[in-house]
Amino acid sequence: MKITRFDRTAAYPAHEGTILALPVIPEDIQAPFDHAYGYLENGGEMETHQHPTHEIYIVFSGTGTVMVDGEEAEVKPGDVIEIPPNKLHTMRGKAGTPFLWAAFWWPVTE
């Protein structure tokens, strides 16, 4: 058994430096999809972006707001967010608490 967890000190800037990121699944497993933790502090907000992939976010800790294609919702630990391809989206943490989620994305197949 191997247990890994998010380590803020090992994380790197992503999305134009608006979040800290770190792989979720160990590289040696060679997952058939892309993945990363997203981490915000002090009410920070991730760069608004879009991409041509399906994406799922799973919130682990903290509370915040997700915005997808103009729709906004409060999110908390245990919430799973589906982000359709090519939709503008971002996450914003609540001030004063760290906000951690995992993102998983994969290409659209027809």
Side-chain angles (χ1 to χ4, degrees), residues 21-92:
L22 196 66
V24 176
I25 299 169
E27 190 174 302
D28 59 329
I29 291 178
Q30 299 179 355
F33 48 81
D34 290 310
H35 52 88
Y37 283 110
Y39 178 82
L40 290 165
E41 286 187 335
N42 301 320
E45 184 172 339
M46 177 173 58
E47 164 200 38
T48 301
H49 64 285
Q50 65 185 21
H51 36 75
T53 59
H54 293 286
E55 189 165 27
I56 296 289
Y57 289 170
I58 302 171
V59 179
F60 287 111
S61 66
T63 57
T65 305
V66 61
M67 288 152 280
V68 178
D69 200 31
E71 186 177 351
E72 188 171 312
E74 297 295 315
V75 292
K76 63 186 184 312
D79 287 349
V80 177
I81 302 131
E82 177 187 346
I83 303 166
N86 301 309
K87 301 295 182 183
L88 284 171
H89 57 281
T90 188
M91 296 282 268
R92 180 175 50 236

Side-chain angles (χ1 to χ4, degrees), residues 52 54 85-86 107-110:
H54 293 286
N86 301 309
V108 174
T109 57
E110 303 292 328

